[in-house]
Amino acid sequence: RMHARRKLATAHAYPEGGEAFARFEEAFPYVETTDQTEAIRVVLDDLQSGEPMDRLIVGDVGYGKTEVAMRAAFRVVLGGHQVLLLVPTTVLAYQHFGTLRRRMDEFGVNVAMLSRFVDGVASREVIAKLASGGVDVVVATTSALGRNVRFRKLGLVIVDEEHRFGTKQKEEVRRIAAGVHALALSATPIPRSLH
């Protein structure tokens, strides 16, 4: 199921990704379901529209929400912008970090991680590379929200399991995502999110 939220002003438009995007799609080791194919289509259409996407993708665990998010992230990176994937737990951060690296390394996408278990030196290096544009995709826990993280060219904010974030954290995410595309993923969205 997909639920569209109201659209805002303008955002960067990301046209079709050409040969690199086609190769990325072909690298997916499974056959997409009908719902997954439709979700990918509408998200990519949103990214191409020039209006900030504010979309919620709902699906049970294992139904392919991550692949929808990865294709959106890859399209944004091909367009020269950065992606923030925000997750509620360190375990989920490591899981997404590994998945993204496995899929994106061969395409030269620089994926990094920020969490409370990433040591201070490595965290400062990632934060500096985000500001300079040296990191394309960062997987971060909410601990990254309070760290003065700056992006050189943020284009997409993805929030996984968005129902697990508190009100103050969601306000900070909204601040970061102002004027860029936003994609939320959830297996169990709260009624406010569905609205």
Side-chain angles (χ1 to χ4, degrees):
R1 293 174 287 172
M2 294 170 293
H3 301 276
R5 296 179 180 165
R6 72 182 163 91
K7 292 186 176 182
L8 308 171
T10 60
H12 189 80
Y14 300 97
E16 293 186 19
E19 181 184 326
F21 191 77
R23 285 188 301 121
F24 186 78
E25 288 182 309
E26 290 170 9
F28 184 51
Y30 305 101
V31 175
E32 295 89 349
T33 66
T34 303
D35 287 341
Q36 192 177 31
T37 300
E38 177 65 9
I40 291 167
R41 184 192 64 75
V42 297
V43 167
L44 295 180
D45 285 351
D46 283 350
L47 290 174
Q48 200 167 338
S49 76
E51 295 180 24
M53 170 177 59
D54 190 10
R55 187 170 292 277
L56 171 64
I57 301 293
V58 179
D60 288 335
V61 173
Y63 274 60
K65 296 182 301 292
T66 301
E67 181 62 21
V68 175
M70 279 198 291
R71 294 204 192 171
F74 193 70
R75 174 72 62 88
V76 168
V77 169
L78 286 176
H81 287 85
Q82 297 166 300
V83 177
L84 166 62
L85 172 53
L86 195 61
V87 298
T89 67
T90 302
V91 171
L92 194 53
Y94 277 106
Q95 178 184 339
H96 280 309
F97 177 67
T99 301
L100 288 163
R101 296 254 336 240
R102 279 190 297 279
R103 282 295 304 284
M104 295 187 172
D105 266 358
E106 72 178 89
F107 296 94
V109 176
N110 188 346
V111 180
M113 185 173 64
L114 284 173
S115 78
R116 62 189 172 109
F117 291 128
V118 175
D119 71 49
V121 172
S123 288
R124 285 189 294 280
E125 183 178 324
V126 169
I127 290 169
K129 286 183 176 180
L130 285 168
S132 71
V135 168
D136 300 309
V137 179
V138 64
V139 179
T141 61
T142 57
S143 65
L145 292 176
R147 289 188 183 177
N148 295 328
V149 176
R150 302 284 181 259
F151 293 85
R152 183 167 184 262
K153 290 178 83 175
L154 183 63
L156 173 64
V157 174
I158 302 168
V159 180
D160 194 11
E161 296 302 332
E162 61 82 37
H163 63 279
R164 295 182 61 186
F165 292 92
T167 303
K168 288 186 186 286
Q169 293 164 332
K170 286 182 181 181
E171 286 173 9
E172 183 65 13
V173 170
R174 275 192 288 279
R175 184 193 65 74
I176 292 170
V180 301
H181 298 284
L183 179 62
L185 313 173
S186 183
T188 54
I190 59 176
R192 183 177 65 227
S193 299
L194 289 172
H195 177 71

